[in-house]
Amino acid sequence: MSCVAEPRVLVAGGSGYTGALAARLVDRHPAFTLHGVTSRSDAGRPLSELYPHHRVDAVLRDLDLDRDGDVDAAIVAYPHGAAAPVVAALRERGVRVVDLSADFRLRDRGEYERWYGPHGAPWLFGEGVYGLPELYRAQVADADLVANPGCYPTATLLALAPLAASGTVRDVVIDAKSGVSGAGRTPSAKTHFVTMTENVVPYGVGAHRHMPEIDQELALLGAPVTTTFTPHLMPLDQGELVSCYVTTSEPYDEDRVTELYAGWARSHPFVEIVDAPPGVRDVRDTNVCAICARADARTGKVFVFAAIDNLWKGAASQAVQNLNLMFGLPETTGIEPR
Amino acid sequence: MSCVAEPRVLVAGGSGYTGALAARLVDRHPAFTLHGVTSRSDAGRPLSELYPHHRVDAVLRDLDLDRDGDVDAAIVAYPHGAAAPVVAALRERGVRVVDLSADFRLRDRGEYERWYGPHGAPWLFGEGVYGLPELYRAQVADADLVANPGCYPTATLLALAPLAASGTVRDVVIDAKSGVSGAGRTPSAKTHFVTMTENVVPYGVGAHRHMPEIDQELALLGAPVTTTFTPHLMPLDQGELVSCYVTTSEPYDEDRVTELYAGWARSHPFVEIVDAPPGVRDVRDTNVCAICARADARTGKVFVFAAIDNLWKGAASQAVQNLNLMFGLPETTGIEPR
Amino acid sequence: MSCVAEPRVLVAGGSGYTGALAARLVDRHPAFTLHGVTSRSDAGRPLSELYPHHRVDAVLRDLDLDRDGDVDAAIVAYPHGAAAPVVAALRERGVRVVDLSADFRLRDRGEYERWYGPHGAPWLFGEGVYGLPELYRAQVADADLVANPGCYPTATLLALAPLAASGTVRDVVIDAKSGVSGAGRTPSAKTHFVTMTENVVPYGVGAHRHMPEIDQELALLGAPVTTTFTPHLMPLDQGELVSCYVTTSEPYDEDRVTELYAGWARSHPFVEIVDAPPGVRDVRDTNVCAICARADARTGKVFVFAAIDNLWKGAASQAVQNLNLMFGLPETTGIEPR
Amino acid sequence: MSCVAEPRVLVAGGSGYTGALAARLVDRHPAFTLHGVTSRSDAGRPLSELYPHHRVDAVLRDLDLDRDGDVDAAIVAYPHGAAAPVVAALRERGVRVVDLSADFRLRDRGEYERWYGPHGAPWLFGEGVYGLPELYRAQVADADLVANPGCYPTATLLALAPLAASGTVRDVVIDAKSGVSGAGRTPSAKTHFVTMTENVVPYGVGAHRHMPEIDQELALLGAPVTTTFTPHLMPLDQGELVSCYVTTSEPYDEDRVTELYAGWARSHPFVEIVDAPPGVRDVRDTNVCAICARADARTGKVFVFAAIDNLWKGAASQAVQNLNLMFGLPETTGIEPR
């Protein structure tokens, strides 16, 4: 735990959706000061030109380690692969980092390289704490490098954590649905309005980069399974729903499921256990993960539905949640549901 | 097979989405004459007032069996339960019927009553041919009463037919996504624009009426399983995607799956086997079912994605496909992809 | 100006979109206490059941003046006509009221009755201060009854205020576009998702209730014109854009327009003058009105585009802005852009 | 009028939205043969890969005048500026051309160059017949080069034609709303799904390329005015609405307006005069222009609302309507409302 009067936080890579949102959340945060926002592609432009609705008064600029290297913390929102060297440079200067990329999430380097190519700072590989506070709260508090989870792993792991920890998970089918912001800001045929309106499309079938991350963490929790995971793009901006169909080694009835999830959620301020399957709008613009778990008598399976905002709990506000822990602040500071 | 010069077709129940579309398709059909369109709730209103884009020149009117009973065929688009008596009355007058409700789809009366309540014409229960032409083409051609399948069963059964027939299906998880038109025309909080825009919501979890229909037909095909089936409402009008995750008793590789589906599709003019998982927009306003099947080496499962337009192949144009068969016409007449 | 330690605020009529949002804003407000939320149609239901995303922990209940009559202030969100008696009853008990209905907006009773029918508390007619703080800040601060403006008048009057005050306005064409939430929560064919998705529809052509309100206030500002005003429903939830085409009695060039609007905006914390015509997303979930004014050399007209969130600045957050003024608080308390 | 057995039609530039749709319409046309579809950017790709829902069985290829130059007609869907040389080359070979670009729409070359830059085939400038059949039916029938109108001019001129021809138009404000497909297929920040969902944005304010086209044709009709024209992008795919507010030199009452429009529409199979202001969904996927004209007693203005599908009547199906006329076919062949 640190003891800095008013920690100064840099956002490196602020022109993408998640970096820009991180900048806004830090800017409004009662205990952090936004030191600056950098961008490789849009240096020189006011952030408000790209994102008027964020109302952040900052001009994007190039990253300059001489100037930026003495901040207390940084949120790095670079693409996979490009993030590691920047993270490394910041760490060398003693900056505590929450990294939004996949570069420090995996523990198996071969697996990393298979999905993302060569690592940009191999000496740091594996040094990050996996920044899902609901699983690693204590470690995050002590960490200097936090690997913020992917959006799908965030929702999926929260959906499955209590079951996985019970050691009864035998098979999991995860059907995931995400809004288009999950595909990033770069314009393409896939993200064109005309392509996506009135549409829904599976993608990354059998080969999505979040698979190894999900399986790694499920195994650590106690469920060493190869999950079936298929994401779908949906015609909306922010929002993500994972529908999980779990085969268990022991039968679960409604009471057992309810008790399991309710007990677990008690220690997690951003987990909401709900009676009816949640819609993604219920959690939009919040750091909340809404979860509905059901024992299905007909099939004997356990169904779990979890909804998050992919840009918030799936990225930027979870980064702030991690920063809060790292600096000894109440976990909800600056990201209370509103 | 009938031999009627220009069969006259009645649409009974034309104020809902599927009935109105059926009226349009019959009206433009080169071999059928639209005899009239009835409605209980909107009698007296021009159909074009409710559905300007259908451009059908007909005034909705009350059903009058004296006047309407001498048509050659009828498409009945009444709610479940209310359909059976109307179907019975039309059948008594010798009218051949395609019924869009669930009243004649199930073979087990106890099961019917469990999901829908008492049957409205018990003496006819079980008399309908299940109108999925890709499964029952010959029977439909000879039938006087065709039970048009539900939208989810249509997509699901087409997705799974070849696999089920192979006898290797052990477990199936079906995650289904439907546009809001699937919830019908009656305004409600659930179908309000403000509720659904930027949203996606699971519904009917563990208890959707299409479950027994799916399981009944899968068993008849050769896959006696209790499927896991969960539908979701999505922020779009027409379109339905079923994502099926199948555990098999034998291993499938890509070649075997491809061959199986390609061979089967050859006899079905409205089944399109596609390489990439289809988006629902690919089939909008058509009678096509687009299917992508994959052997997933990672999990050993077979993944099948099938997209239809829930109002077309999931209801109204499939009814016309059935009528075509019943009157000895080429299956595609009047509903060719355009 | 009042001097109450922590004013207790009642929200009467909290099951509609604007009342529910008002409840949320009061609930999170640092200087107000939410006394309770009433509803005629949904008494007994938790507000979170109707609006999970608002995260307000309150159960809707019947209005009970004995219990509710001793609050310091109330936001009344009843339908037009039904509001007046409730407002009157609260005023009798000394409660300061911001009324979201049209019942106290108009100054001409004949005009009121022509658009809304008989008034429900005629003895109070005309007693309300028109609650557009940018026009009536001082009067609002002293008022006990504030008539919160309609959403279209809010955007239109802010768009035209500086021009109207200059006395040069000769003719105004206002083409307005609103999200579907503006049509209210009651489900209907018009607000069904299937009706509005991929659609845009003019409505209230030549006869919209906001017309007399707009013309009344423009005349008071110095522009006694009969405006052309046509609203359109658009396929989105929250957001409103007014596009105003103004014929003036004197020529305006770009500099004169820019100076006029910039000068005026300086005293109004929620007015943002922007260079490019604003999109409605730029102001979503805020109390901001973004305005772009242009002198059009080609036609000689002045174009003004103003965007608000119809539920926020167009209703609920503007009500809080008024309450802030009434209780001597900084105008932006609890509704700062975030 | 030509007399060709089954005219062969080339579509040059088939990878954009309008060219691809033109290919589909020609492909299904009962009296035309689709000779081929060319593309500069996507040669070698099947059209069905880019547009699965069009179901056209053609591979995009480079334009080769030796092979393609002997067709009977061509629809050219190139960008402005690039179209003229291709049109010229085809005309040299005797091919009759409908050009979807702006290159042959304007009559004043200076005006053309001001908006589009140097013309690509100046010797042909002004040789095109303006292809709005409702205004120039006879000339189109005899033409070898038809300049298909822009989408906004199509809707606007149809909305205003009867009034303009009456010689009573003094001032016109046109507020236009278009779906995102109007912005073309090229991905950009403006057409990203995340930018446009839940948004509406004015653009081209004071300087849109369709202005001179509208004013040129209105003057020829009898209304020599400088129109106020402002387009807005809306969160939908296909559809365009123009809301026209007309100041006239003589008073119009409801009867006079109704009679004027009804009389005029009688000779135009694709013009529908409707009682209530049309929504854009009413005409989606059709060549129909739905028009509602109203005398507004309150302001003394005439209001006209016209809805088209910007890709159909605003581009591709209007091109086919022109081809029908050029080849002596009934105007509605292959593009009947369905």
Side-chain angles (χ1 to χ4, degrees):
Chain A
M1 191 186 303
S2 290
C3 243
V4 185
E6 173 106 348
R8 285 170 313 134
V9 179
L10 171 77
V11 173
S15 57
Y17 293 147
T18 56
L21 177 58
R24 161 176 152 186
L25 293 172
V26 170
D27 190 42
R28 310 271 163 78
H29 198 284
F32 297 137
T33 298
L34 180 64
H35 171 78
V37 190
T38 75
S39 166
R40 297 177 302 171
S41 56
D42 293 280
R45 298 178 67 189
L47 187 57
S48 65
E49 199 179 298
L50 281 71
Y51 300 97
H53 63 290
H54 281 337
R55 292 191 161 67
V56 174
D57 190 19
V59 175
L60 295 169
R61 52 180 178 70
D62 286 315
L63 177 65
D64 173 348
L65 285 169
D66 290 338
R67 180 177 47 177
D68 298 324
D70 70 338
V71 293
D72 301 294
I75 295 176
V76 176
Y78 273 54
H80 311 304
V86 174
V87 170
L90 289 163
R91 286 297 308 124
E92 265 176 47
R93 278 158 183 80
V95 178
R96 303 178 80 186
V97 173
V98 177
D99 177 36
L100 294 181
S101 85
D103 286 359
F104 299 96
R105 294 176 193 159
L106 297 182
R107 309 236 190 279
D108 177 325
R109 189 153 151 206
E111 194 74 342
Y112 176 88
E113 288 174 351
R114 200 179 134 221
W115 293 93
Y116 298 99
H119 195 270
W123 61 95
L124 274 183
F125 187 87
E127 296 296 303
V129 166
Y130 191 73
L132 192 58
E134 287 75 13
L135 301 189
Y136 297 100
R137 189 169 281 114
Q139 295 91 319
V140 165
D142 287 335
D144 288 324
L145 172 49
V146 168
N148 216 60
C151 55
Y152 289 123
T154 292
T156 304
L157 295 170
L158 294 178
L160 299 177
L163 266 185
S166 73
T168 57
V169 172
R170 286 264 289 274
D171 187 53
V172 185
V173 170
I174 306 151
D175 188 282
K177 296 110 183 143
S178 171
V180 182
S181 64
R185 182 186 164 228
T186 310
S188 72
K190 278 188 200 310
T191 60
H192 196 296
F193 185 88
V194 168
T195 306
M196 279 310 302
T197 187
E198 301 289 304
N199 209 356
V200 58
V201 198
Y203 72 101
V205 174
H208 190 280
R209 288 169 161 184
H210 286 171
M211 285 171 172
E213 190 179 333
I214 291 170
D215 287 6
Q216 162 187 293
E217 294 300 320
L218 280 181
L220 291 168
L221 276 164
V225 293
T226 300
T227 53
T228 297
F229 171 76
T230 306
H232 300 71
L233 267 192
M234 297 187 311
L236 55 95
D237 175 1
Q238 292 163 238
E240 189 167 298
L241 180 78
V242 294
S243 307
C244 306
Y245 308 98
V246 188
T247 307
T248 55
S249 56
E250 293 173 14
Y252 278 81
D253 61 12
E254 206 60 26
D255 283 352
R256 190 177 169 194
V257 166
T258 303
E259 211 171 294
L260 180 66
Y261 276 81
W264 169 73
R266 236 166 264 138
S267 8
H268 304 300
F270 289 112
V271 173
E272 282 183 9
I273 304 300
V274 292
D275 289 338
V280 296
R281 282 201 69 172
D282 300 352
V283 297
R284 182 168 175 149
D285 291 339
T286 76
N287 193 52
V288 170
C289 179
I291 297 177
C292 174
R294 293 268 180 91
D296 185 57
R298 205 172 146 274
T299 59
K301 294 197 168 83
V302 177
F303 298 171
V304 194
F305 304 92
I308 61 168
D309 184 316
N310 56 301
L311 297 184
W312 285 65
K313 180 64 176 167
S317 64
Q318 180 149 273
V320 172
Q321 185 182 2
N322 282 318
L323 277 185
N324 285 340
L325 290 167
M326 291 162 79
F327 286 91
L329 298 164
E331 193 168 344
T332 57
T333 313
I335 47 175
E336 301 85 358
R338 168 179 159 168
Chain B
M1 194 183 301
S2 291
C3 241
V4 186
E6 172 104 350
R8 285 170 315 135
V9 179
L10 172 76
V11 173
S15 56
Y17 294 146
T18 56
L21 178 57
R24 162 178 153 185
L25 294 172
V26 171
D27 189 42
R28 311 269 163 79
H29 197 282
F32 296 137
T33 299
L34 180 63
H35 170 77
V37 190
T38 75
S39 165
R40 298 177 301 172
S41 56
D42 293 279
R45 297 178 68 187
L47 188 56
S48 64
E49 201 179 296
L50 280 72
Y51 300 97
H53 64 288
H54 280 338
R55 293 193 160 64
V56 172
D57 190 18
V59 175
L60 294 169
R61 51 181 177 70
D62 286 316
L63 177 65
D64 173 348
L65 284 169
D66 290 337
R67 181 177 47 178
D68 297 325
D70 70 338
V71 294
D72 300 296
I75 296 176
V76 176
Y78 272 53
H80 311 304
V86 174
V87 169
L90 289 164
R91 285 299 306 124
E92 263 176 47
R93 279 156 182 82
V95 179
R96 303 178 80 186
V97 173
V98 177
D99 177 37
L100 295 180
S101 85
D103 286 359
F104 300 96
R105 293 176 192 158
L106 297 182
R107 309 237 191 279
D108 178 325
R109 191 154 150 206
E111 195 76 343
Y112 176 88
E113 289 174 350
R114 202 181 129 218
W115 293 93
Y116 298 99
H119 195 268
W123 60 94
L124 275 182
F125 187 86
E127 296 296 302
V129 166
Y130 192 73
L132 192 59
E134 288 74 13
L135 302 188
Y136 297 101
R137 189 170 280 114
Q139 295 91 318
V140 165
D142 287 335
D144 289 325
L145 172 49
V146 169
N148 218 58
C151 56
Y152 289 123
T154 293
T156 304
L157 294 169
L158 294 177
L160 299 178
L163 265 186
S166 73
T168 56
V169 171
R170 286 264 290 275
D171 187 52
V172 185
V173 170
I174 306 151
D175 187 283
K177 294 112 184 143
S178 172
V180 182
S181 65
R185 181 188 164 227
T186 308
S188 72
K190 279 188 197 313
T191 61
H192 196 296
F193 185 87
V194 167
T195 306
M196 279 310 303
T197 188
E198 300 290 304
N199 208 356
V200 57
V201 197
Y203 72 102
V205 174
H208 191 280
R209 288 169 161 184
H210 285 172
M211 286 172 171
E213 191 180 333
I214 291 170
D215 286 6
Q216 162 186 295
E217 294 300 318
L218 281 181
L220 291 168
L221 276 164
V225 293
T226 299
T227 53
T228 297
F229 170 77
T230 306
H232 300 70
L233 268 192
M234 297 187 310
L236 53 96
D237 174 3
Q238 293 163 237
E240 188 168 299
L241 179 78
V242 294
S243 306
C244 306
Y245 308 97
V246 188
T247 306
T248 55
S249 56
E250 294 173 16
Y252 279 80
D253 62 11
E254 205 60 26
D255 283 352
R256 189 176 170 194
V257 166
T258 302
E259 212 171 292
L260 179 68
Y261 276 81
W264 170 72
R266 237 166 262 138
S267 5
H268 303 301
F270 289 112
V271 173
E272 283 183 10
I273 306 299
V274 292
D275 289 339
V280 296
R281 281 201 70 172
D282 299 354
V283 298
R284 182 168 174 151
D285 291 339
T286 76
N287 194 52
V288 170
C289 179
I291 297 176
C292 174
R294 295 267 180 89
D296 184 57
R298 203 172 148 277
T299 58
K301 294 201 169 81
V302 177
F303 298 170
V304 193
F305 304 92
I308 61 170
D309 185 316
N310 55 302
L311 296 185
W312 285 66
K313 179 64 175 170
S317 64
Q318 179 147 274
V320 172
Q321 186 183 1
N322 281 319
L323 276 185
N324 285 340
L325 290 167
M326 291 162 79
F327 287 91
L329 298 164
E331 195 168 341
T332 58
T333 313
I335 46 174
E336 300 85 359
R338 167 178 160 171
Chain C
M1 195 184 302
S2 290
C3 240
V4 186
E6 173 105 347
R8 286 169 312 137
V9 179
L10 171 77
V11 173
S15 57
Y17 293 147
T18 55
L21 177 57
R24 161 177 154 186
L25 294 172
V26 170
D27 190 41
R28 311 271 163 77
H29 197 284
F32 297 135
T33 299
L34 180 62
H35 170 77
V37 190
T38 75
S39 165
R40 298 177 300 172
S41 56
D42 293 279
R45 299 178 65 189
L47 188 57
S48 65
E49 200 179 298
L50 282 71
Y51 300 96
H53 63 288
H54 281 337
R55 291 189 162 66
V56 173
D57 190 18
V59 175
L60 295 168
R61 52 181 177 73
D62 286 315
L63 177 65
D64 173 349
L65 284 170
D66 289 336
R67 179 177 48 180
D68 298 324
D70 70 338
V71 294
D72 300 296
I75 296 177
V76 176
Y78 273 53
H80 311 305
V86 174
V87 169
L90 289 163
R91 285 298 309 122
E92 263 175 48
R93 277 157 184 80
V95 178
R96 303 179 79 185
V97 173
V98 177
D99 178 36
L100 294 180
S101 84
D103 286 359
F104 298 97
R105 293 176 192 157
L106 297 182
R107 309 237 191 279
D108 177 325
R109 191 157 151 205
E111 194 74 342
Y112 176 87
E113 289 175 349
R114 201 180 130 219
W115 293 92
Y116 298 98
H119 195 271
W123 62 93
L124 274 182
F125 187 86
E127 295 297 302
V129 166
Y130 191 72
L132 192 58
E134 287 75 12
L135 302 189
Y136 297 100
R137 189 170 281 115
Q139 294 91 319
V140 166
D142 287 336
D144 289 324
L145 171 50
V146 168
N148 217 57
C151 55
Y152 289 124
T154 293
T156 304
L157 294 170
L158 293 178
L160 299 177
L163 266 185
S166 73
T168 57
V169 172
R170 287 262 290 274
D171 187 53
V172 185
V173 170
I174 305 152
D175 188 282
K177 295 112 185 143
S178 171
V180 182
S181 64
R185 182 188 163 226
T186 309
S188 72
K190 281 189 198 311
T191 60
H192 196 296
F193 185 88
V194 168
T195 306
M196 278 312 301
T197 187
E198 300 289 306
N199 208 357
V200 57
V201 198
Y203 72 101
V205 174
H208 191 282
R209 286 169 163 185
H210 285 171
M211 284 171 171
E213 190 180 333
I214 292 170
D215 287 6
Q216 161 186 298
E217 293 301 318
L218 280 181
L220 291 169
L221 276 164
V225 293
T226 300
T227 53
T228 297
F229 171 76
T230 305
H232 300 71
L233 267 192
M234 298 188 311
L236 55 95
D237 175 1
Q238 293 164 238
E240 189 169 299
L241 180 78
V242 294
S243 307
C244 306
Y245 308 98
V246 188
T247 306
T248 53
S249 55
E250 292 174 16
Y252 278 80
D253 62 13
E254 207 59 27
D255 283 352
R256 189 176 169 195
V257 167
T258 304
E259 210 169 296
L260 179 67
Y261 276 80
W264 170 72
R266 234 164 266 138
S267 7
H268 303 300
F270 288 111
V271 173
E272 283 184 10
I273 305 299
V274 291
D275 289 339
V280 296
R281 282 200 70 173
D282 300 353
V283 297
R284 184 170 174 147
D285 290 339
T286 75
N287 194 50
V288 170
C289 179
I291 297 177
C292 173
R294 293 269 181 89
D296 185 57
R298 203 171 147 276
T299 59
K301 293 199 169 81
V302 177
F303 297 171
V304 193
F305 304 92
I308 61 169
D309 184 315
N310 54 301
L311 296 184
W312 285 66
K313 179 64 176 169
S317 64
Q318 179 147 275
V320 173
Q321 186 182 1
N322 282 318
L323 276 186
N324 285 340
L325 290 167
M326 291 162 78
F327 286 90
L329 298 165
E331 194 168 344
T332 58
T333 313
I335 46 175
E336 300 85 358
R338 165 178 161 171
Chain D
M1 196 184 303
S2 290
C3 239
V4 185
E6 173 104 349
R8 285 171 312 136
V9 178
L10 172 77
V11 172
S15 57
Y17 293 146
T18 57
L21 177 57
R24 161 177 154 185
L25 294 172
V26 170
D27 190 42
R28 310 271 163 79
H29 197 281
F32 296 136
T33 299
L34 180 62
H35 171 77
V37 190
T38 75
S39 166
R40 297 177 302 171
S41 56
D42 293 280
R45 298 178 68 187
L47 188 56
S48 64
E49 200 179 297
L50 280 72
Y51 301 97
H53 64 287
H54 281 338
R55 294 192 158 66
V56 173
D57 190 17
V59 175
L60 294 168
R61 52 181 178 70
D62 285 317
L63 177 64
D64 173 348
L65 284 170
D66 290 338
R67 180 177 48 178
D68 298 324
D70 70 338
V71 294
D72 300 296
I75 295 176
V76 176
Y78 273 52
H80 311 304
V86 174
V87 169
L90 288 164
R91 285 299 307 125
E92 263 175 47
R93 278 155 182 84
V95 178
R96 303 178 79 186
V97 173
V98 177
D99 178 37
L100 293 180
S101 85
D103 286 359
F104 299 97
R105 292 176 193 158
L106 297 182
R107 308 236 190 281
D108 178 325
R109 190 155 152 206
E111 194 75 343
Y112 175 89
E113 289 174 349
R114 200 180 132 220
W115 293 91
Y116 298 99
H119 195 269
W123 61 95
L124 274 182
F125 187 88
E127 295 295 302
V129 166
Y130 191 72
L132 192 59
E134 287 75 11
L135 301 188
Y136 297 100
R137 190 170 280 114
Q139 295 91 319
V140 166
D142 287 335
D144 289 324
L145 171 51
V146 168
N148 218 58
C151 56
Y152 289 124
T154 292
T156 303
L157 294 170
L158 293 178
L160 299 178
L163 266 186
S166 73
T168 56
V169 172
R170 288 263 290 275
D171 188 52
V172 185
V173 170
I174 306 152
D175 188 282
K177 295 111 184 144
S178 172
V180 182
S181 64
R185 182 187 162 228
T186 309
S188 71
K190 279 186 196 314
T191 61
H192 196 296
F193 185 88
V194 169
T195 307
M196 278 310 303
T197 189
E198 299 290 304
N199 208 356
V200 56
V201 198
Y203 72 101
V205 174
H208 191 281
R209 287 168 161 185
H210 285 172
M211 284 171 172
E213 191 180 331
I214 290 170
D215 286 5
Q216 162 187 295
E217 294 300 319
L218 279 182
L220 290 168
L221 276 165
V225 292
T226 299
T227 53
T228 297
F229 171 76
T230 306
H232 300 70
L233 267 193
M234 297 187 311
L236 55 96
D237 174 1
Q238 293 163 238
E240 188 169 298
L241 180 78
V242 294
S243 306
C244 305
Y245 308 97
V246 188
T247 306
T248 54
S249 55
E250 293 173 16
Y252 278 80
D253 63 12
E254 207 59 27
D255 283 352
R256 189 176 169 194
V257 166
T258 303
E259 211 171 292
L260 179 69
Y261 276 81
W264 170 72
R266 237 165 263 137
S267 5
H268 303 302
F270 289 111
V271 174
E272 283 183 9
I273 306 299
V274 292
D275 289 339
V280 297
R281 283 202 68 172
D282 299 352
V283 297
R284 183 168 174 150
D285 290 339
T286 75
N287 195 51
V288 170
C289 179
I291 297 176
C292 174
R294 293 269 180 89
D296 184 57
R298 204 172 146 275
T299 58
K301 293 199 170 81
V302 177
F303 298 170
V304 194
F305 304 92
I308 61 170
D309 184 316
N310 56 302
L311 296 184
W312 285 66
K313 180 64 175 169
S317 64
Q318 180 148 274
V320 172
Q321 185 183 0
N322 282 318
L323 276 185
N324 285 340
L325 290 167
M326 291 162 79
F327 285 92
L329 296 165
E331 193 166 344
T332 58
T333 314
I335 46 174
E336 300 85 359
R338 167 178 160 173

